[in-house]
Amino acid sequence: MLSEHLIRIILVILPALSVLGTKAEESLNHKNLSSWHDCSEEVGIDNPVLIFTDVYSDPPVVTKDSGQTVYKTITYNPSEDDGEKVLHEIKADFTQYYRLMDKFWMPFLYAPNLNMCKEHDNLCPLKPNDPTKVATDHPPLNKLTPYGLYRSKQVFKDALTGNKIGCVDMQFLYCETEQDENSDKCSSLLFEAGEEISYLRTG
């Protein structure tokens, strides 16, 4: 759990600071938002060996009372040099963002070196070419959490070498209720009326 690790809170006073992020962060807007993507190239991973598929949220729209479970299928595809190497320890750096005024991705939390093997007891040791489905349960958000669009960028690392081995970037919408996803209770600060966004699908 995050409480067991060093968590650094990043407070951004000037929204303009957010534009210093990656090209992917700069290019995302309300017309081309996607629910998740592989972000390996964005963080300098030329040949990722962790492949992410079937990434989704249940429920697809998070509400004030719902909580959330995020599912990911992770496949380890080692390079020829690694052969049949097994991953025994995996860590990840998490960065959380909030979409501010439909213009900027504002980082508000950075949690480095999270132990993924401890978080997911079925993940390690991770054998080559063996798709493994993991789930992360989140309780309902604090009542003071603002409604809107959130992102979680997760950079996975081989804990023994420190090398980055994969990256996944996910988005979810937080509303008062699922019926409010197009109302001012959820998205008035984020989207123009009538615009559509895609969510992490369910199942």
Side-chain angles (χ1 to χ4, degrees):
M1 300 299 291
L2 294 182
S3 59
E4 299 174 358
H5 302 272
L6 173 65
I7 297 178
R8 295 191 292 234
I9 304 301
I10 303 174
L11 298 177
V12 179
I13 299 175
L14 296 176
L17 294 178
S18 298
V19 302
L20 298 176
T22 65
K23 291 182 180 180
E25 293 164 12
E26 293 170 352
S27 64
L28 287 169
N29 57 53
H30 57 270
K31 293 184 179 180
N32 65 7
L33 289 171
S34 61
S35 58
W36 73 275
H37 70 278
D38 186 294
C39 50
S40 297
E41 184 177 354
E42 299 160 22
V43 297
I45 305 174
D46 295 328
N47 298 297
V49 296
L50 287 192
I51 309 302
F52 296 91
T53 56
D54 201 26
V55 180
Y56 63 94
S57 169
D58 183 20
V61 177
V62 180
T63 64
K64 64 178 183 178
D65 298 316
S66 70
Q68 180 191 33
T69 301
V70 176
Y71 297 92
K72 299 187 287 282
T73 296
I74 302 174
T75 303
Y76 173 43
N77 184 20
S79 65
E80 293 183 1
D81 292 338
D82 290 330
E84 293 299 309
K85 172 185 173 182
V86 173
L87 285 176
H88 291 281
E89 298 182 44
I90 302 172
K91 291 188 177 181
D93 300 334
F94 283 23
T95 307
Q96 310 295 95
Y97 300 86
Y98 177 69
R99 185 72 170 175
L100 184 66
M101 302 299 291
D102 193 21
K103 292 182 181 296
F104 307 104
W105 283 112
M106 183 181 74
F108 63 89
L109 184 148
Y110 175 59
N113 294 318
L114 301 181
N115 189 331
M116 294 293 97
C117 300
K118 187 173 182 180
E119 180 75 18
H120 307 291
D121 58 12
N122 65 325
L123 184 60
C124 301
L126 187 58
K127 300 177 181 179
N129 304 309
D130 183 18
T132 301
K133 186 172 185 176
V134 298
T136 304
D137 295 320
H138 300 286
L141 294 172
N142 186 289
K143 299 299 182 182
L144 298 179
T145 302
Y147 300 124
L149 189 65
Y150 289 81
R151 279 177 61 204
S152 177
K153 182 165 70 175
Q154 304 175 1
V155 181
F156 284 67
K157 303 180 294 186
D158 182 336
L160 297 181
T161 65
N163 294 333
K164 298 176 183 178
I165 55 177
C167 181
V168 62
D169 191 322
M170 301 168 290
Q171 300 176 19
F172 69 90
L173 191 63
Y174 175 52
C175 304
E176 183 172 1
T177 70
E178 286 194 44
Q179 288 71 34
D180 292 328
E181 63 188 59
N182 293 316
S183 78
D184 58 3
K185 294 181 180 180
C186 180
S187 55
S188 61
L189 296 179
L190 301 172
F191 310 107
E192 297 174 5
E195 297 275 338
E196 294 184 355
I197 74 168
S198 57
Y199 311 113
L200 297 176
R201 68 174 180 79
T202 301

